Amino acid sequence: MAKYQLRKTALDILVRVGENGGFSHLLIDQAIRKQGFDQRDEALLTEIVYGTIQRKLTLNYFLDHFLNSRKKIDGWVRWLLYMSMYQMKYLNKVPDHAIIHESVEIAKQNGHKGISSFINGILRNVQRNGFPDFAEIEDQAKKLSIETSHPLWLVERWLDMYGVETTEKMCRSNLKHKPISVRVQPMKLTREKALQQLEEEGYQVEASIFSPQGINVVSGNVLKSSLFHTGKLTIQDQTSMLAAEILSAGPEMIVLDACSAPGGKTTHIAEKMNNRGEVHAYDLHSKKAKLVSKRAVELDLTIIEAKQADSRKLAELYEPEHFDRILLDAPCSGLGVLRGKPDIKYHKNVKDIETLSVIQRELLEKVASLLKKGGKLVYSTCTVDKAENEAVVKAFLAEHEDFQVDRQFVEELPEVLKKGDGLSDWGLQIFPYEFDTDGFFLTRLTKN
């Protein structure tokens, strides 16, 4: 492997994400496959990229203390400094002098001697003087914003919605690594046998309390388990598994998954139905609908029919009251999944949330007519914003007297969730700090 290749790759990904709007998780996966990194280097590459993006605002605050405000620097130079400072501040694996040396060498290869001298000067200054203290920041919202690297508008919005304690816990939890959880295909393997086999393969695992099919992976790269290659496991966050659990779909039912890609919940629904009945899965993009079909084949689930369509127009394809169950996992801001996709928090704004909430209300309005009387409709999102969750449900119920929140769904929740901070008359908001999961909202409506 070429010298400095790991950190050069990390820098390339950071520039593509930071300057060109690339998706970090996709670029990391591509780089790992292309470069042939070993397991240790994979972990370090992921740590540097995610950590640097996750802490971008904090690192920028640090850099401002060592940079002449009138000095203009190229984007890649700024990301190289962020990346270097992240390692110096938050990682203990490599000594500072080695980080500085490698950064200077990369600067020489990417730029010229003047840039490498500039990089060396900044990082040596950081090494000599240390990083600035957050205590210097007096404003509470600004301090939390910089210390936890969340945009100020977002911190202020969460403070208004949830208060200081919840906002602070949410911001700090978003900086932690998210544990991986998987779902067992129950028609191929029991969870007990899956747990046993994974332990025999050297993984540290435990049963999820969110779903009878769920397993939490405490340590080990479970993607390399033989169970994946035979369609017995699916990567899925525990909170996401709740959607199919709460939908209560059974064999022979006709089910609609209105926004189905990438197919985790769709295939889970089919598994809950023992692969008997009909699951009609739609997505706005044909490429994503094909992903759902592909995943169904991998899991040997034959009742899923995945197609492209705008679910706001499904009433043109189906008669009213066609479905026994409907899952609307609505497109959302993704502000509940910032641990796994940290770049989201820098790209979203209030206008995005407002636009999405309109789409969410339209989707709910349109698919509701397709639900049979006595049927159940689960509305879910992977965000923690009330405008996309409670407000959408409230607005819908205000205009549809034949629908109501199904109180029984609370009784069907795992015991630990019944005591969650986010349980309200409108549904369940799970915060990422509560159970070390994604932030997720769901509720179940019934039709009279």
Side-chain angles (χ1 to χ4, degrees):
M1 183 179 297
K3 208 170 184 182
Y4 316 125
Q5 190 59 45
L6 188 149
R7 285 171 176 79
K8 286 178 70 175
T9 301
L11 176 61
D12 177 59
I13 295 172
L14 288 168
V15 171
R16 292 173 70 182
V17 172
E19 304 297 312
N20 304 318
F23 293 104
S24 54
H25 60 296
L26 297 179
L27 292 172
I28 289 173
D29 287 344
Q30 289 170 8
I32 288 173
R33 285 200 299 272
K34 183 178 177 182
Q35 300 290 348
F37 292 125
D38 61 26
Q39 193 167 337
R40 186 177 167 187
D41 284 346
E42 278 183 30
L44 183 56
L45 175 74
T46 304
E47 169 70 51
I48 292 173
V49 172
Y50 273 124
T52 302
I53 296 171
Q54 196 70 274
R55 304 267 186 179
K56 185 180 83 169
L57 298 184
T58 311
L59 296 167
N60 189 61
Y61 172 74
F62 292 156
L63 182 57
D64 280 349
H65 279 68
F66 299 98
L67 192 65
N68 185 328
S69 60
R70 289 175 294 181
K71 173 83 174 175
K72 290 188 177 179
I73 56 177
D74 290 341
W76 73 268
V77 175
R78 184 174 290 275
W79 281 105
L80 179 56
L81 286 166
Y82 287 164
M83 184 178 93
S84 306
M85 289 193 297
Y86 174 74
Q87 295 172 80
M88 293 169 73
K89 174 68 175 176
Y90 298 106
L91 299 186
N92 300 318
K93 296 174 183 173
V94 186
D96 287 355
H97 66 82
I99 294 169
I100 295 171
H101 172 75
E102 197 158 11
S103 299
V104 168
E105 292 302 316
I106 291 172
K108 279 182 191 173
Q109 293 178 19
N110 281 22
H112 51 71
K113 190 177 178 184
I115 292 177
S116 65
S117 296
F118 170 72
I119 294 283
N120 186 58
I122 293 282
L123 296 180
R124 294 288 178 198
N125 203 1
V126 173
Q127 188 182 33
R128 278 193 301 273
N129 297 295
F131 290 93
D133 196 328
F134 301 118
E136 299 171 3
I137 308 168
E138 294 182 358
D139 181 79
Q140 182 187 43
K142 186 178 178 184
K143 183 179 177 183
L144 188 58
S145 163
I146 291 174
E147 191 175 356
T148 66
S149 194
H150 286 70
L152 182 59
W153 72 267
L154 185 57
V155 172
E156 291 176 336
R157 187 174 176 87
W158 286 350
L159 285 170
D160 287 342
M161 285 182 180
Y162 299 115
V164 175
E165 184 179 350
T166 296
T167 301
E168 185 162 346
K169 285 195 286 188
M170 196 153 45
C171 288
R172 295 193 187 286
S173 74
N174 284 340
L175 297 175
K176 296 179 181 177
H177 290 286
K178 192 186 84 166
I180 288 180
S181 54
V182 295
R183 193 188 79 231
V184 177
Q185 214 290 30
M187 289 179 288
K188 294 186 175 185
L189 191 68
T190 66
R191 179 165 73 171
E192 290 67 31
K193 287 186 178 177
L195 284 165
Q196 182 182 347
Q197 182 166 338
L198 288 169
E199 286 173 350
E200 289 171 357
E201 290 179 9
Y203 299 99
Q204 189 180 352
V205 291
E206 60 186 24
S208 167
I209 57 173
F210 282 59
S211 166
Q213 294 175 236
I215 292 176
N216 299 329
V217 182
V218 179
S219 68
N221 183 357
V222 75
L223 287 173
K224 296 187 176 178
S225 166
S226 60
L227 294 180
F228 267 102
H229 306 307
T230 49
K232 296 185 176 74
L233 291 182
T234 297
I235 292 277
Q236 190 175 23
D237 191 75
Q238 294 183 86
T239 53
S240 180
M241 295 180 208
L242 270 179
E245 295 292 343
I246 293 303
L247 189 64
S248 295
E252 314 306 339
M253 285 187 177
I254 303 175
V255 179
L256 170 64
D257 187 350
C259 302
S260 61
K265 298 179 186 70
T266 315
T267 50
H268 192 189
I269 291 168
E271 290 167 3
K272 299 293 290 183
M273 296 167 67
N274 291 330
N275 201 33
R276 288 160 46 201
E278 300 175 19
V279 178
H280 299 261
Y282 286 91
D283 195 89
L284 187 59
H285 305 287
S286 58
K287 186 183 285 186
K288 290 185 176 181
K290 288 177 183 174
L291 280 179
V292 178
S293 296
K294 181 170 181 273
R295 192 58 192 145
V297 170
E298 290 169 350
L299 293 172
D300 295 323
L301 297 167
T302 57
I303 65 169
I304 296 171
E305 186 177 10
K307 293 181 180 177
Q308 181 278 329
D310 182 339
S311 287
R312 290 171 289 190
K313 299 179 180 177
L314 290 181
E316 299 172 8
L317 303 177
Y318 297 99
E319 295 293 324
E321 302 183 354
H322 184 80
F323 294 99
D324 298 289
R325 297 284 186 270
I326 295 177
L327 170 62
L328 176 55
D329 186 52
C332 70
S333 60
L335 295 174
V337 297
L338 299 185
R339 284 197 287 180
K341 298 176 181 175
D343 31 320
I344 286 177
K345 61 188 174 187
Y346 307 121
H347 299 152
K348 297 296 181 187
N349 54 46
V350 174
K351 190 175 179 183
D352 291 330
I353 292 172
E354 291 171 349
T355 302
L356 284 163
S357 67
V358 171
I359 294 171
Q360 290 154 357
R361 286 198 296 272
E362 289 175 352
L363 280 164
L364 188 52
E365 173 76 30
K366 296 298 183 183
V367 301
S369 65
L370 302 176
L371 186 68
K372 291 179 181 176
K373 287 185 174 63
K376 299 180 189 298
L377 187 158
V378 168
Y379 175 81
S380 64
T381 71
C382 59
T383 188
V384 293
D385 198 286
K386 288 187 177 182
E388 300 179 72
N389 297 331
E390 287 188 17
V392 170
V393 176
K394 282 182 188 178
F396 173 77
L397 293 177
E399 296 181 0
H400 295 81
E401 293 182 350
D402 53 338
F403 277 86
Q404 59 188 358
V405 175
D406 183 0
R407 304 296 172 192
Q408 181 63 31
F409 110 89
V410 176
E411 297 305 315
E412 295 173 17
L413 289 171
E415 284 301 317
V416 68
L417 291 176
K418 295 176 184 176
K419 302 169 186 170
D421 290 348
L423 190 60
S424 73
D425 291 341
W426 310 105
L428 174 65
Q429 176 69 69
I430 300 173
F431 297 103
Y433 63 82
E434 290 183 284
F435 307 103
D436 220 11
T437 63
D438 285 338
F440 197 80
F441 175 86
L442 81 167
T443 192
R444 189 170 76 196
L445 309 179
T446 56
K447 188 176 185 180
N448 298 326

